[in-house]
Amino acid sequence: DTGVSQDPRHKITKRGQNVTFRCDPISEHNRLYWYRQTLGQGPEFLTYFQNEAQLEKSRLLSDRFSAERPKGSFSTLEIQRTEQGDSAMYLCASSSTGVKDTQYFGPGTRLTVL
Amino acid sequence: SQKIEQNSEALNIQEGKTATLTCNYTNYSPAYLQWYRQDPGRGPVFLLLIRENEKEKRKERLKVTFDTTLKQSLFHITASQPADSATYLCALVNDMRFGAGTRLTVKP
């Protein structure tokens, strides 16, 4: 399977703990995006990379969130000191420049903060 | 800032009928607009892209229109089937903005 993969698929954690999610994009894609989605809402943009450069971050993204894409391939999203409001589906997508940013999404990581 | 509104939270139709979903945006006309399908517990899947200079785009039973005067896109599924039941999202991908989606249920 050469689609976007995310790990883990589900994560349950206690409030105050740190969590880290991984995304492996489609190999030839140079752009990678992180979104958050809650029930009944569309994906909400968090941040975006072109190769290893983080080009944009949502103003809604608190300082507890950080993302990296160290070698321009896989990416990690870390949430520090999790809060119950962080409970959501975290989606990763990738795209290739020159194809109108059609984004290919992974299956998501479902985070539950108790 | 640009907002996207999908007016219907849910739409129920009978198998064989045409489903029509609406997407409105509030400010400047985007260069292009996309539609995605999302099944429960899964990531969105790209369906169609339409450019601002295109009035209509088709793919099999799917049709998308784009009216920059009305600031609106319509998404049609003809001869709908129960397998078409899903949430459909419109997106202004340049702005990385998605609508809240319309949950379509096609009843046999």
Side-chain angles (χ1 to χ4, degrees):
Chain A
D1 190 321
T2 56
V4 178
S5 62
Q6 292 187 246
D7 184 68
R9 293 293 308 277
H10 300 93
K11 178 71 177 179
I12 300 173
T13 191
K14 293 183 179 178
R15 191 176 52 182
Q17 297 295 304
N18 299 344
V19 294
T20 300
F21 309 141
R22 176 179 170 124
C23 171
D24 286 88
I26 293 172
S27 57
E28 60 266 29
H29 285 178
N30 60 342
R31 290 184 175 177
L32 187 147
Y33 311 79
W34 285 99
Y35 292 87
R36 176 172 61 193
Q37 187 175 27
T38 53
L39 198 61
Q41 299 298 314
E44 175 189 30
F45 170 73
L46 295 178
T47 190
Y48 137 64
F49 292 84
Q50 180 156 310
N51 300 315
E52 64 274 13
Q54 188 172 19
L55 295 188
E56 193 169 337
K57 280 177 67 170
S58 168
R59 288 173 294 172
L60 303 174
L61 201 63
S62 85
D63 291 342
R64 296 184 296 105
F65 287 70
S66 62
E68 294 183 343
R69 194 183 184 198
K71 296 183 180 179
S73 56
F74 74 92
S75 175
T76 58
L77 176 70
E78 180 182 18
I79 309 174
Q80 296 182 327
R81 305 181 303 283
T82 52
E83 301 172 357
Q84 287 185 324
D86 296 331
S87 296
M89 175 76 87
Y90 289 84
L91 292 164
C92 173
S94 68
S95 73
S96 178
T97 51
V99 287
K100 303 302 182 190
D101 289 316
T102 298
Q103 296 186 16
Y104 295 83
F105 283 82
T109 294
R110 167 79 61 194
L111 173 66
T112 302
V113 182
L114 303 176
Chain B
S1 63
Q2 185 76 284
K3 290 184 180 177
I4 304 177
E5 295 167 350
Q6 292 188 249
N7 296 346
S8 300
E9 191 175 301
L11 179 65
N12 297 319
I13 63 168
Q14 208 65 36
E15 183 176 7
K17 300 292 187 184
T18 296
T20 298
L21 285 63
T22 305
C23 175
N24 295 288
Y25 54 93
T26 56
N27 292 341
Y28 58 88
S29 283
Y32 50 92
L33 184 148
Q34 300 183 357
W35 284 88
Y36 288 76
R37 169 183 172 141
Q38 187 172 26
D39 291 287
R42 305 186 72 138
V45 174
F46 170 74
L47 295 175
L48 280 169
L49 174 153
I50 186 164
R51 295 176 176 79
E52 62 177 336
N53 61 351
E54 295 176 321
K55 293 230 184 288
E56 182 179 297
K57 197 82 167 276
R58 291 177 184 262
K59 178 181 175 183
E60 298 173 353
R61 295 183 297 109
L62 308 181
K63 183 178 86 170
V64 172
T65 62
F66 195 3
D67 188 326
T68 55
T69 302
L70 294 178
K71 297 187 178 180
Q72 181 179 83
S73 176
L74 298 179
F75 177 81
H76 306 272
I77 305 175
T78 58
S80 59
Q81 304 167 0
D84 295 326
S85 298
T87 295
Y88 292 87
L89 303 160
C90 71
L92 303 181
V93 180
N94 258 359
D95 296 315
M96 287 166 281
R97 289 187 182 273
F98 283 77
T102 296
R103 189 175 66 252
L104 173 68
T105 302
V106 181
K107 298 181 178 180

